[in-house]
Amino acid sequence: MNCEVCQLKELDVEHFEIREVLRCILHTILFHRALGLVRPKDVDLELFEITYVQCGDAELERKVDEKIDQFIDRVEKHPNKKTQICISLYEVKNKQATWFTNKVERHHWEYWYINLNVAQHPKGHSSKSHSSKVVVDPEDTAAEARRARRAALETSLRDVLFQIIRFVNEKKDHVPSIQNLDGMLFPYEITISSSSDSAFGMDMFKRMLQTGHPTMLS
Amino acid sequence: MDLGNYGKNKPVTFGQVLNRFLLKTLQIILGSRIPSTLPHGWNGEVKNSDKWYNLVLGHRFATMDDLCSWTRTLTEPMVIDIILVRKSKSFSIDMFKDVILERWIICFESQKSMMTCEICGVSCKKTYKKLIILLRSVYSILRLLPAYQAFRKLSSLQKNCGFDIKYNVCSVSGAFSEPQESMKGYSFVPVEAAQGRFGISVCYREDLSDFNMDGFVLHPLEIISDYVDSPSPSSNSNKSSSTIRKVSRDAKQDSGFPNFLYSLRFPYFGSSRISTKSSLIVDSFGDSDFSCPFIVDDTDPLDGQASLKLDGTNSAEVSLKSQDAAVGAVIRLLRNAPPLQQDPHCYNKLEKEDGAASESKLCKPRKTSDGLEELKLYRNMKDVLLAKNAALRCIGKI
């Protein structure tokens, strides 16, 4: 079976925007891959005029938020590195343990790479910029620049959502059968990686080809 | 809903897969655009029919059950128009006419003599999986298109909103009354099946800023008792004249598709204008028959508009001596004409303005004398038009 990879368009975000942006993107991907019975839930973003769709599953929401927290921690600890979040979907090929190994073989059939370029601000400064009551820069030009940046990010986020929709429509043959689907969603994992150089993505891809599944980088 | 587990005593046929695909698509679109379809007091009960394509939606609306057997022909496309309709006459004349916000076209192109009773096999189940993905993306994209904001505004303001959103479902895709450059298109990748190809596409109005929907909120009338300044009579008449000229111009300049014909070519569901195709087959899952004759809308959006003259007077008297008046008479005749098809099983359902369905009524059979009277009227109209035409030719020769 083929393995398809989707590198989503990179987004420039402020620290306080990470959670909303990641929730939107992660849930949109998962909604399109939750081919079991779903009662969709519409969610409005607070920072942008965008509505995205969740699967309406509390456990899934909890797991996604957990991963987002890990991502934010990673960004704060390594502000100079580019941090990437990846959703991979797989099939479990061998559930039975053997004499020599308990390893469960996973065959990944799809990878989604979400690339956020987080603006480097001190934590205290970014929280101030989130508050509408604290005037950081009284000049109109600075406020106008923020509005323009926010509008550009909204447009880019919308582009990413369209990119997801285009990808899931163009690539369908590699999706496994839903006959034996256990639950709502195919088995998946969300991994967070960071690298200090531009070869980061290529490292991930090479590792994927060699081992068939990504490993967590420390 | 897993095809393998659905009604273990009832094997699923390809015809059901197709029919339910069309229904589910319709449900997804209308549920994201028409506030009146939102459930009132829905208790969350999920029927088996809700589980098709593993997408449970809570939306119910009166015409849904009637449309269950929509595609008896199955190969005809289903065209869904989402239309912005003004509710009050107190707004700017610029916002006067109905506007198509989106046109969705859902179709199935059969590649061979399709057997709708063909039991779903492995190939069909693969198709079903792909259709699930397709419908997921349709659901998502409906929230990203501009019309979604209009839907949300209407949902939140409800009766205080100066506009409404209606829908129209038919199998004819007519011309837009709007300039094509204002519309943008998006086509989903078709899903190929052994029996044919499923396709969904949408034309949508990209920019809704012209409609100034924030200004559509209705306000109660206020009498300003201490108003000091008042415009001069001359400025008033100039404004009304220019307004009237604009109305007349707009009424004439609909690009090749006058509004009065709109109701003839676009049968309406879910609004005061209803018409459907006839002789439909009962769906095997208990959905009822629904066949309706073609009914012309009896509300002419040009009422009171096209008849305004430049001097501001309303020419309510239409003289048959003028060619325009003769055309107007023909239009009124067509508007008031009874249904073209007289199916004894047909009925039409009229909806009240609040969207609730009213009682059905049966069409009365027509007599020969009715037909003869109509024929006489048509002959008179024809004579008037020919006489006028001859008169104009004579004038031209002088």
Side-chain angles (χ1 to χ4, degrees):
Chain A
M1 187 179 291
N2 291 338
C3 176
E4 298 289 348
V5 178
C6 183
Q7 284 276 357
L8 293 175
K9 174 182 168 183
E10 186 174 275
L11 298 175
D12 296 318
V13 299
E14 296 283 337
H15 191 277
F16 67 92
E17 292 166 337
I18 293 173
R19 187 173 297 279
E20 279 235 309
V21 168
L22 279 183
R23 267 190 188 146
C24 176
I25 296 173
L26 289 171
H27 279 291
T28 299
I29 294 169
L30 293 171
F31 174 67
H32 288 90
R33 287 295 177 247
L35 304 189
L37 192 65
V38 160
R39 189 174 298 188
K41 174 180 157 187
D42 296 342
V43 178
D44 298 329
L45 291 179
E46 292 177 9
L47 301 176
F48 310 99
E49 275 202 29
I50 291 177
T51 299
Y52 69 96
V53 189
Q54 289 186 7
C55 297
D57 182 78
E59 179 60 20
L60 180 62
E61 283 182 54
R62 188 192 63 77
K63 286 182 183 174
V64 167
D65 281 346
E66 201 174 273
K67 287 296 176 181
I68 293 174
D69 289 338
Q70 290 177 16
F71 180 91
I72 292 174
D73 281 342
R74 180 71 68 96
V75 166
E76 287 174 355
K77 283 176 186 170
H78 306 280
N80 295 321
K81 291 184 177 180
K82 222 168 209 182
T83 308
Q84 190 181 61
I85 192 164
C86 170
I87 296 182
S88 59
L89 297 120
Y90 58 89
E91 281 187 292
V92 176
K93 285 294 184 183
N94 181 14
K95 290 184 182 177
Q96 291 179 356
T98 64
W99 282 102
F100 304 102
T101 176
N102 289 327
K103 186 177 176 181
V104 174
E105 189 180 326
R106 292 177 175 181
H107 179 248
H108 287 79
W109 50 271
E110 195 169 85
Y111 290 92
W112 296 82
Y113 293 103
I114 301 160
N115 304 291
L116 296 189
N117 184 23
V118 184
Q120 294 179 24
H121 291 298
K123 187 177 179 181
H125 188 266
S126 64
S127 62
K128 279 185 186 176
S129 65
H130 188 203
S131 167
S132 58
K133 294 182 181 176
V134 177
V135 178
V136 177
D137 188 339
E139 294 181 4
D140 288 342
T141 49
E144 185 57 38
R146 279 197 297 275
R147 274 193 291 272
R149 192 205 64 80
R150 178 69 60 83
L153 176 56
E154 182 174 312
T155 302
S156 294
L157 180 56
R158 209 176 277 274
D159 288 344
V160 167
L161 299 182
F162 271 101
Q163 188 183 359
I164 294 169
I165 291 170
R166 263 195 308 274
F167 182 88
V168 299
N169 268 272
E170 288 170 3
K171 315 277 185 186
K172 293 192 188 84
D173 291 328
H174 68 293
V175 178
S177 167
I178 62 172
Q179 289 293 103
N180 300 320
L181 186 61
D182 185 18
M184 175 185 64
L185 189 52
F186 289 108
Y188 70 98
E189 61 180 344
I190 301 177
T191 51
I192 300 162
S193 308
S194 54
S195 174
S196 57
D197 57 30
S198 60
F200 163 69
M202 189 53 67
D203 287 341
M204 287 291 295
F205 194 67
K206 283 179 184 172
R207 198 170 293 109
M208 181 186 79
L209 288 174
Q210 287 162 4
T211 63
H213 57 87
T215 54
M216 180 74 75
L217 296 178
S218 58
Chain B
M1 185 205 80
D2 179 6
L3 280 189
N5 294 327
Y6 184 79
K8 287 188 177 177
N9 295 328
K10 295 182 188 177
V12 176
T13 65
F14 181 78
Q16 286 174 307
V17 171
L18 172 56
N19 190 21
R20 288 292 171 173
F21 167 75
L22 293 164
L23 268 180
K24 185 65 82 174
T25 310
L26 178 66
Q27 194 180 10
I28 290 171
I29 292 171
L30 297 188
S32 310
R33 290 293 182 264
I34 311 299
S36 59
T37 69
L38 290 175
H40 296 288
W42 180 51
N43 60 6
E45 182 191 352
V46 178
K47 299 180 184 176
N48 260 346
S49 56
D50 295 331
K51 295 179 184 176
W52 275 88
Y53 296 98
N54 287 344
L55 196 62
V56 177
L57 306 170
H59 314 290
R60 289 264 185 269
F61 47 99
T63 50
M64 197 54 200
D65 295 330
D66 300 329
L67 289 168
C68 274
S69 40
W70 160 260
T71 58
R72 292 307 101 190
T73 53
L74 292 177
T75 54
E76 288 186 355
M78 182 167 67
V79 181
I80 306 169
D81 281 344
I82 304 297
I83 301 155
L84 184 74
V85 175
R86 67 172 188 92
K87 277 165 72 173
S88 165
K89 293 184 180 178
S90 63
F91 295 99
S92 160
I93 298 295
D94 288 342
M95 302 298 143
F96 205 65
K97 53 184 180 179
D98 299 351
V99 173
I100 296 178
L101 295 180
E102 291 173 349
R103 171 168 290 165
W104 292 82
I105 300 177
I106 300 97
C107 60
F108 177 75
E109 299 167 15
S110 175
Q111 290 178 357
K112 62 178 184 180
S113 55
M114 183 179 59
M115 302 291 289
T116 57
C117 56
E118 186 182 320
I119 303 298
C120 245
V122 173
S123 165
C124 181
K125 289 176 184 174
K126 281 184 183 174
T127 302
Y128 184 73
K129 174 194 75 179
K130 293 180 182 179
L131 291 175
I132 291 176
I133 298 172
L134 173 59
L135 291 175
R136 292 274 195 275
S137 54
V138 169
Y139 190 95
S140 287
I141 214 169
L142 276 159
R143 277 128 189 87
L144 298 176
L145 296 180
Y148 185 69
Q149 297 305 321
F151 161 73
R152 291 295 297 270
K153 199 172 287 288
L154 181 59
S155 300
S156 59
L157 296 174
Q158 294 180 351
K159 291 184 181 177
N160 288 327
C161 198
F163 68 92
D164 199 358
I165 299 177
K166 302 289 186 184
Y167 65 94
N168 174 29
V169 185
C170 63
S171 60
V172 176
S173 179
F176 283 109
S177 58
E178 299 295 321
Q180 292 296 301
E181 52 268 17
S182 66
M183 306 296 282
K184 201 172 175 183
Y186 186 92
S187 291
F188 294 85
V189 175
V191 171
E192 303 282 351
Q195 296 84 354
R197 182 201 294 197
F198 295 81
I200 298 180
S201 61
V202 59
C203 275
Y204 61 94
R205 199 177 172 98
E206 196 179 6
D207 184 9
L208 302 188
S209 58
D210 291 346
F211 301 105
N212 189 21
M213 275 183 264
D214 288 333
F216 269 117
V217 178
L218 292 173
H219 296 288
L221 294 175
E222 291 181 22
I223 298 173
I224 306 172
S225 56
D226 57 347
Y227 185 68
V228 176
D229 193 15
S230 58
S232 62
S234 58
S235 65
N236 262 349
S237 63
N238 286 341
K239 185 179 177 182
S240 61
S241 294
S242 64
T243 300
I244 291 161
R245 273 193 289 273
K246 188 171 175 53
V247 168
S248 300
R249 188 171 60 246
D250 285 349
K252 291 176 185 174
Q253 284 184 350
D254 286 345
S255 50
F257 203 66
N259 282 345
F260 72 87
L261 280 182
Y262 184 83
S263 59
L264 297 181
R265 296 198 45 191
F266 292 102
Y268 244 50
F269 297 100
S271 73
S272 59
R273 290 178 274 184
I274 302 282
S275 68
T276 67
K277 298 171 68 70
S278 63
S279 48
L280 302 176
I281 304 170
V282 178
D283 181 272
S284 60
F285 284 94
D287 297 310
S288 58
D289 258 338
F290 182 71
S291 59
C292 285
F294 175 81
I295 298 176
V296 176
D297 182 20
D298 59 356
T299 58
D300 185 356
L302 292 181
D303 256 351
Q305 303 169 30
S307 60
L308 288 176
K309 293 183 179 176
L310 292 179
D311 61 3
T313 59
N314 189 345
S315 61
E317 297 175 7
V318 178
S319 169
L320 288 179
K321 295 178 183 177
S322 71
Q323 191 172 16
D324 287 345
V327 172
V330 171
I331 293 166
R332 278 195 295 281
L333 177 69
L334 291 172
R335 275 190 0 239
N336 296 321
L340 293 176
Q341 284 181 318
Q342 296 299 322
D343 188 336
H345 300 294
C346 81
Y347 65 91
N348 66 60
K349 187 176 283 188
L350 298 175
E351 283 195 358
K352 296 176 186 174
E353 286 187 4
D354 62 0
S358 61
E359 294 178 355
S360 323
K361 63 177 184 184
L362 287 174
C363 298
K364 294 180 182 178
R366 299 190 67 213
K367 298 179 184 175
T368 308
S369 56
D370 296 332
L372 284 172
E373 278 183 20
E374 216 172 279
L375 180 62
K376 281 181 193 173
L377 197 53
Y378 284 126
R379 274 193 189 147
N380 290 339
M381 294 295 111
K382 182 189 125 186
D383 292 339
V384 166
L385 288 171
L386 287 175
K388 188 61 186 173
N389 197 25
L392 286 173
R393 280 185 190 166
C394 290
I395 294 169
K397 285 178 183 176
I398 295 172

